[in-house]
Amino acid sequence: MWILYDSIFLIIALVYLPVYLFRRKFHVGFKMRFGVLPSGLKLNRPIWIHAVSVGEVMAVKNLIGELRAAYPEKHFFISTVTPTGNKIARSIAKENDFVAYFPLDLSFIVRRVVDKIQPSLFIVTETEIWPNLILCLYQKKIPIVLVNGRISDRSFKGYLNIKFLLKPILNRINLFCVQTKRDAER
């Protein structure tokens, strides 16, 4: 199943590449999306927090503060997808933290990134479901936490249609912290 997912993801990425080029979406940190991180990066089993864009980064700002207070020796690896989210993440990162762009969810890329940073915990905001990353973290026994999760009515209907695909992925997440009781039921 994972080979099929990788193949589909890769085909979509290749088809979308010209659009990305045309819209000039490439930026200095884009190579991080392919798992290219600085060679001397040493974070000592950081807490990895993934927040897609500005809203998600702002939503976890206080959580990061609480985690810093509870685990003062821990460093953070904060990943984003958008340049504006990345900029905000850099503003809340401390000296020994590292802010990066989230790797493409291709098995060979996420394995390389996970092996490089060796996180002690992975926290993802909202309902970001990245099958290859979740599988890789699970196989390496790295706890996975989803915070500020939500499922809209429309998404819920779509998820029901692919429940057989989602269930094995979601079963690998250790803890769900969701916004409402309805989200928890879903």
Side-chain angles (χ1 to χ4, degrees):
M1 182 170 98
W2 302 112
I3 293 170
L4 180 62
Y5 174 79
D6 268 355
S7 300
I8 292 169
F9 192 96
L10 193 55
I11 290 167
I12 291 170
L14 290 173
V15 168
Y16 193 68
L17 186 62
V19 174
Y20 223 73
L21 286 168
F22 181 72
R23 292 185 180 170
R24 299 176 191 254
K25 295 276 187 173
F26 289 99
H27 44 73
V28 176
F30 193 77
K31 63 185 175 186
M32 290 179 197
R33 304 286 324 258
F34 294 96
V36 179
L37 298 172
S39 59
L41 185 63
K42 296 204 188 311
L43 296 169
N44 195 22
R45 302 213 15 101
I47 296 173
W48 181 354
I49 297 183
H50 176 59
V52 174
S53 61
V54 174
E56 290 86 355
V57 174
M58 295 307 293
V60 295
K61 185 177 179 180
N62 290 336
L63 173 62
I64 293 171
E66 293 292 326
L67 289 169
R68 283 189 200 288
Y71 305 98
E73 74 288 351
K74 279 290 182 193
H75 301 295
F76 290 83
F77 181 89
I78 305 167
S79 61
T80 65
V81 173
T82 67
T84 50
N86 198 274
K87 183 178 179 182
I88 300 297
R90 289 181 192 283
S91 74
I92 61 174
K94 300 291 184 192
E95 182 181 337
N96 292 316
D97 297 337
F98 189 78
V99 178
Y101 286 91
F102 191 72
L104 295 174
D105 195 43
L106 291 165
S107 60
F108 60 94
I109 292 176
V110 296
R111 265 195 309 271
R112 181 175 34 205
V113 171
V114 170
D115 287 345
K116 176 100 176 165
I117 64 173
Q118 299 180 349
S120 58
L121 172 67
F122 177 74
I123 300 172
V124 61
T125 59
E126 303 206 1
T127 312
E128 288 285 313
I129 301 168
W130 299 102
N132 280 322
L133 180 62
I134 290 170
L135 176 64
C136 181
L137 293 166
Y138 178 81
Q139 289 173 338
K140 293 182 179 289
K141 297 181 179 15
I142 298 166
I144 305 165
V145 177
L146 185 143
V147 298
N148 203 31
R150 62 186 168 87
I151 302 175
S152 68
D153 293 338
R154 183 177 172 203
S155 293
F156 184 62
K157 288 176 187 172
Y159 288 167
L160 286 176
N161 291 329
I162 58 169
K163 182 179 178 180
F164 69 99
L165 292 173
L166 282 177
K167 188 173 181 177
I169 298 164
L170 296 177
N171 283 339
R172 291 180 167 102
I173 297 175
N174 300 87
L175 178 65
F176 291 89
C177 301
V178 296
Q179 294 180 10
T180 67
K181 184 178 180 181
R182 187 171 186 157
D183 292 317
E185 290 167 355
R186 289 179 169 173

